[in-house]
């Protein structure tokens, strides 16, 4: 059994001939090109290129950048205080909604009041 010799190419050795010929056919459409000036004008005016852009979702809360660890700890304390206040507010709103529901009398429609299936049976 004959093994193939390993060929090592360096920048001094003769380079192998390319085996695949690239076609010279152009795949662009006639009106697809833009000059650099047009690209810059469109960019400065905010006109998209027609390609799909992915934009992140940013929320209303700004995310600060800290230069000092103490600033970060102060910001954390502020956030914790805000969290406690919001939790108290949510709890108060839930309690108010519960109180409002308790004040509403349980009204049973008249047709259901006279229904024999809802009345407790004396058989049991």
């Amino acid at each position: 059994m004959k093994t193939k010799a390993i060929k090592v190419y360096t920048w001094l050795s003769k380079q192998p001939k390319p085996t695949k010929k690239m076609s010279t056919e152009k795949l662009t459409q006639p009106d697809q090109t833009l000059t650099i000036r047009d690209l810059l004008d469109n960019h400065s005016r905010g006109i998209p290129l027609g390609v799909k852009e992915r934009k992140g979702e940013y929320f209303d809360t700004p995310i600060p950048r800290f230069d000092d660890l103490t600033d970060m700890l102060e910001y954390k304390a502020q956030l914790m205080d805000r969290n406690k206040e919001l939790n108290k507010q949510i709890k108060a709103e839930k309690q108010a909604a519960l109180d409002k529901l308790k004040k509403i009398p349980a009204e049973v429609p008249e047709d259901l009041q006279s229904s024999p299936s809802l009345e407790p049976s004396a058989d049991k």
Side-chain angles (χ1 to χ4, degrees), residues 51-104:
V51 294
K52 197 173 199 179
E53 288 185 39
R54 294 184 181 179
K55 294 186 178 182
E57 294 183 21
Y58 299 101
F59 303 103
D60 294 337
T61 307
I63 301 172
R65 295 184 61 96
F66 301 108
D67 295 330
D68 191 9
L69 290 177
T70 56
D71 294 338
M72 181 180 65
L73 293 175
E74 289 173 6
Y75 184 71
K76 181 181 177 184
Q78 290 173 0
L79 286 179
M80 296 302 285
D81 291 340
R82 185 174 175 205
N83 187 22
K84 287 178 186 176
E85 291 172 10
L86 289 175
N87 284 335
K88 286 180 185 177
Q89 182 181 359
I90 290 170
K91 193 173 183 180
E93 288 177 2
K94 283 183 179 180
Q95 189 63 37
L98 262 172
D99 293 341
K100 187 176 180 183
L101 284 175
K102 286 180 182 177
K103 288 181 181 177
I104 298 174

Side-chain angles (χ1 to χ4, degrees), residues 1-15:
M1 185 170 4
K2 225 178 193 184
T3 60
K4 269 188 159 180
I6 298 174
K7 295 181 181 180
V8 179
Y9 295 102
T10 64
W11 67 279
L12 293 173
S13 63
K14 188 174 181 184
Q15 298 297 319

Side-chain angles (χ1 to χ4, degrees), residues 34 38-40 42-43 46-53:
L34 291 174
D38 293 337
L39 286 172
L40 288 174
N42 290 347
H43 175 71
I47 300 172
L49 295 174
V51 294
K52 197 173 199 179
E53 288 185 39

